[in-house]
Amino acid sequence: MQKFVREKAVAAPLPLTNVDTDMIIPAQYMKALTRSGLGQHLFQALRFAGDGSERSDFILNQPACRAARILIADRNFGCGSSREHAVWALTDFGIRCIIAPSFGDIFAGNARKNGLLLIRLPDELCARLRDEIALARYAPIEVDLEAGQIRLASGEAIDFRIDPDDRRILMEGLDDIARTLRHADAIARFEAAF
C-alpha cells in the first residue's frame, strides 16, 4: 500500500450529500477483481452523459480539477453498500484524500485498508474550504498527515486529527497483510508450539 505522509495537490469541491458507493462506482463496472481500470468509471453518471460524452459541468471534468488528488466532499460520503471497489475506483483515479463532515462506516474501513486518507471536519468548515478552493482558482493545497494540518494556498493552516492507529497505518503504508506479517516470528512460534 502506498504510504501517505503529505500530499500537495489540487483539491476538487464536491458539495453533494449522501454520495453512495453506487454513485462512486456503479455495479456494472465491478466485474473485475483487480483494482486497476476502475478509475475510468469513477462517478460515471456524474462525469458522463448517456452517449459517453463528458459532462462539462462536473468538477472533475473541468481543466483545473482533472488532476485533483483531494476531494472536499459533504456529509455521509461513501454511504450505501460495502463495495470495496468504490475505494479502488477513487484511488485508481488518483484521489489520495477526502475531506468531509462524515463518511459511511464500511467505506471508512475500506479506505483505511487501501491507503485513502479520510479527514472529518465540521460541516461549516468543509463548506468554507470548498468556497475558498474555488476562489483560489484551485491552487494546490497541502495535506500533511505527519503534522495533522491542511495548508491552504492562502497560507492558512487547519488542524485535523484522525485515529492514531489509522495514522500509523497510512504513514507506514501497511495493508492488512503487511500488518500481519510484522508478527510473522510470533505466529511461527505459536504454530510450532502445537
Side-chain angles (χ1 to χ4, degrees):
M1 182 169 90
Q2 186 178 0
K3 294 179 181 182
F4 191 112
V5 178
R6 69 188 52 83
E7 183 75 33
K8 186 170 186 175
V10 169
L14 190 66
L16 301 173
T17 59
N18 302 314
V19 172
D20 65 25
T21 53
D22 192 55
M23 188 183 294
I24 296 169
I25 182 76
Q28 66 263 33
Y29 301 109
M30 296 176 15
K31 296 176 183 164
L33 296 176
T34 63
R35 302 168 193 217
S36 62
L38 292 173
Q40 66 186 325
H41 301 294
L42 179 69
F43 299 122
Q44 182 75 22
L46 297 173
R47 286 175 55 212
F48 302 103
D51 65 1
S53 62
E54 286 189 352
R55 296 180 187 270
S56 61
D57 61 340
F58 186 64
I59 192 66
L60 294 177
N61 290 340
Q62 296 174 10
C65 292
R66 283 189 179 275
R69 296 175 62 79
I70 302 164
L71 289 179
I72 313 295
D74 210 333
R75 280 177 279 115
N76 206 22
F77 187 92
C79 59
S81 71
S82 61
R83 61 184 71 165
E84 192 168 4
H85 291 72
V87 173
W88 294 352
L90 286 157
T91 57
D92 188 57
F93 187 82
I95 303 297
R96 301 282 331 273
C97 174
I98 303 174
I99 301 167
S102 60
F103 298 94
D105 290 338
I106 296 171
F107 176 83
N110 288 335
R112 179 183 61 114
K113 291 191 286 185
N114 287 281
L116 179 62
L117 173 60
L118 303 182
I119 298 173
R120 290 170 181 81
L121 293 177
D123 289 274
E124 314 78 47
L125 186 50
C126 287
R128 184 170 69 83
L129 282 174
R130 288 190 297 269
D131 290 344
E132 287 189 22
I133 286 165
L135 287 171
R137 299 179 185 238
Y138 309 102
I141 68 170
E142 184 175 39
V143 175
D144 187 334
L145 181 55
E146 188 170 32
Q149 285 190 329
I150 299 165
R151 297 183 193 100
L152 305 182
S154 66
E156 179 184 1
I158 298 167
D159 293 331
F160 69 88
R161 293 177 196 252
I162 70 166
D163 177 85
D165 191 47
D166 289 354
R167 180 179 179 273
R168 182 183 60 80
I169 287 166
L170 289 164
M171 288 187 66
E172 294 180 25
L174 301 173
D175 61 14
D176 288 345
I177 294 169
R179 287 196 335 261
T180 301
L181 290 175
R182 293 177 94 187
H183 305 286
D185 292 341
I187 292 168
R189 284 192 304 275
F190 175 81
E191 288 175 341
F194 292 99

